[in-house]
Amino acid sequence: MKNKKIAVVMVVLAAFLCLAGCGKKIDVANWKEYTSPDGTFSVKADEGYEIVDMQMDNWLALEAPDGRDSILAMQFAKSGGLVGGFGSLGEAIAFVEESNQLSDKTEVEKPESTVLANIEAYTYKMTQDGYTEEFTVVYGETDFAHYMLMYSEAKLKRHGKGYFNEVCAAFKENADVIEEKQSASAQISDTLRWFNASNSILIAVNGWDYNLYGGMEADQASQMAAAQVLDNSWGVTDKAAADETLDWLLSEGHRVEFAGEMEYLAECGMNEVSEEEREAFFLENFEVTAEQAEIYAGWYGAYTERQEDAASGWDYNRALSQIANFYLAGYYTLEEALDASMDVAEIIQSSFDSWDDYMESYFIGYEYWADESSAERRELYEQIKSAGDSPFSVDFNTTLEKDW
């Protein structure tokens, strides 16, 4: 589910390449330090640039007033975020290249840096609206993040050879700001960590940070992203629609349809055969594959034990996910979102005995809704459980407290 990331990066690169126009070559008279909106990093460049709002707090875009050249620095936090959480620098590079129509990749001289490690440098070409632009990209990483620094200038060069390498060499991180951000994530309460654990699969699938409520910091970029997801996937554009969606998830969701289908199977005679004979019953009475028969037999067995709760974990999980999105999109206040999350969490705790019990219900509901295997999500669940910062370290039956 990298599509949200792809959309963001494609739009940014297209906009970035439109910044550079034409002009005469000049030398740098005075250098100036430019800092990202969130304060985590900075670069030094010609003092004549103007900062362009890219609507991402951890990205920095600079444009010459006459449009002769542009610099873009993009940070991909390793802990996650709207665009981040890549497993390696190579994965980040591949993502950028694959999510844009880049061509003519050519390796170029790498800048020196005391901050960035594993540096790679290339030129690319990208065509937008019939116009082809060449630009330079430098990739590197720190313990905190992967970085991509881009430079585009007019055919009539503004700066001399090696200017962008000097910009990259002057790149630095603000350790104090980064430490503050990491400390804030580490200090999340057990109750908020419990909320995130219950929804950590989707947070991880999106490449976000399960140590932040909702997976992302509440800022302009996450507000736009959440609003777009809610509109496209749920038709939610305001608080009234958000309330209606939440009510549906908690009162009906997909578990009611799931239960109805299981009851139909019982009426067809499934309740009269033994557990061992259920797969054969499916194959004999329905047009299904052996794999489908096995899946349905498992669902029916879970339903006979749990009724609607055999799949309700899927609905409750999505309820918690959407509540967080309602907050990020600006439809709920933080207090409203946390209060609503508490209500759902209490339902979950009263319906299940453990994280494994709850997640099994989630996986069954996911399989029913998506009509596909939950194997990848089950594997992801095991990975998150074993992670050093796993939100599942909070006991499922811990007493949830309103500490906000």
Side-chain angles (χ1 to χ4, degrees), residues 57-58 60 93 99 138 197 214 244 259-260 292 305 312 318 329-330 382:
D57 286 348
N58 58 345
L60 176 64
I93 294 173
S99 60
V138 171
E244 183 178 349
Q292 289 173 323
E305 296 177 4
S312 66
R318 295 214 296 172
E382 295 300 326

Side-chain angles (χ1 to χ4, degrees), residues 60-135:
L60 176 64
L62 307 175
E63 176 189 10
D66 55 9
R68 288 178 294 192
D69 67 330
S70 306
I71 296 172
L72 175 64
M74 304 169 73
Q75 177 195 86
F76 307 134
K78 292 183 177 180
S79 61
L82 178 57
V83 184
F86 296 108
S88 66
L89 181 61
E91 184 179 327
I93 294 173
F95 169 74
V96 171
E97 294 176 345
E98 293 169 6
S99 60
N100 297 275
Q101 296 179 346
L102 305 183
S103 61
D104 296 347
K105 178 180 179 180
T106 304
E107 188 172 2
V108 296
E109 177 186 357
K110 301 176 185 179
E112 295 182 358
S113 174
T114 59
V115 178
L116 296 172
N118 303 319
I119 292 177
E120 298 185 33
Y122 305 97
T123 58
Y124 297 96
K125 288 184 179 180
M126 183 176 182
T127 301
Q128 290 286 328
D129 299 325
Y131 177 73
T132 299
E133 178 70 39
E134 182 176 274
F135 57 99

Side-chain angles (χ1 to χ4, degrees), residues 184-198:
S185 296
Q187 292 174 4
I188 186 173
S189 71
D190 281 352
T191 297
L192 292 185
R193 196 176 297 277
W194 196 101
F195 293 168
N196 276 9
S198 63

Side-chain angles (χ1 to χ4, degrees), residues 69-347:
D69 67 330
S70 306
I71 296 172
L72 175 64
M74 304 169 73
Q75 177 195 86
F76 307 134
K78 292 183 177 180
S79 61
L82 178 57
V83 184
F86 296 108
S88 66
L89 181 61
E91 184 179 327
I93 294 173
F95 169 74
V96 171
E97 294 176 345
E98 293 169 6
S99 60
N100 297 275
Q101 296 179 346
L102 305 183
S103 61
D104 296 347
K105 178 180 179 180
T106 304
E107 188 172 2
V108 296
E109 177 186 357
K110 301 176 185 179
E112 295 182 358
S113 174
T114 59
V115 178
L116 296 172
N118 303 319
I119 292 177
E120 298 185 33
Y122 305 97
T123 58
Y124 297 96
K125 288 184 179 180
M126 183 176 182
T127 301
Q128 290 286 328
D129 299 325
Y131 177 73
T132 299
E133 178 70 39
E134 182 176 274
F135 57 99
T136 303
V137 179
V138 171
Y139 303 98
E141 65 178 311
T142 65
D143 290 341
F144 177 68
H146 299 110
Y147 288 93
M148 179 176 66
L149 285 74
M150 306 175 64
Y151 183 60
S152 176
E153 63 178 335
K155 292 182 179 179
L156 295 176
K157 305 301 183 185
R158 170 179 167 84
H159 292 301
K161 182 179 180 181
Y163 165 69
F164 184 50
N165 278 1
E166 293 185 53
V167 172
C168 295
F171 171 90
K172 68 178 183 180
E173 285 186 325
N174 188 325
D176 291 339
V177 174
I178 290 174
E179 183 178 355
E180 183 178 339
K181 289 171 68 74
Q182 292 176 323
S183 176
S185 296
Q187 292 174 4
I188 186 173
S189 71
D190 281 352
T191 297
L192 292 185
R193 196 176 297 277
W194 196 101
F195 293 168
N196 276 9
S198 63
N199 183 37
S200 60
I201 300 299
L202 185 56
I203 291 176
V205 166
N206 286 331
W208 300 346
D209 184 354
Y210 49 63
N211 285 312
L212 292 174
Y213 177 64
M216 294 187 286
E217 293 183 2
D219 54 26
Q220 187 178 20
S222 60
Q223 181 178 14
M224 293 181 61
Q228 183 178 24
V229 169
L230 289 170
D231 186 12
N232 293 344
S233 301
W234 294 86
V236 171
T237 57
D238 54 29
K239 187 178 187 302
D243 290 341
E244 183 178 349
T245 297
L246 180 59
D247 179 68
W248 177 78
L249 284 168
L250 296 180
S251 63
E252 182 177 345
H254 289 107
R255 63 189 180 279
V256 172
E257 180 183 329
F258 172 85
E261 193 162 330
M262 296 302 106
E263 286 297 324
Y264 170 73
L265 294 176
E267 293 173 3
C268 291
M270 179 66 75
N271 61 336
E272 298 177 1
V273 302
S274 66
E275 180 178 350
E276 294 76 13
E277 298 173 320
R278 286 171 184 163
E279 288 184 39
F281 179 89
F282 269 105
L283 291 171
E284 182 178 346
N285 292 277
F286 300 94
E287 294 183 3
V288 295
T289 64
E291 181 180 4
Q292 289 173 323
E294 180 181 3
I295 291 172
Y296 265 90
W299 291 351
Y300 185 81
Y303 178 74
T304 59
E305 296 177 4
R306 305 296 299 271
Q307 302 301 301
E308 283 186 5
D309 278 338
S312 66
W314 166 248
D315 292 326
Y316 299 146
N317 186 287
R318 295 214 296 172
L320 286 168
S321 173
Q322 298 320 309
I323 290 169
N325 281 334
F326 298 158
Y327 160 63
L328 293 173
Y331 304 145
Y332 282 11
T333 65
L334 178 59
E335 184 172 5
E336 287 174 332
L338 295 178
D339 285 347
S341 295
M342 177 70 88
D343 292 339
V344 179
E346 290 175 345
I347 294 173

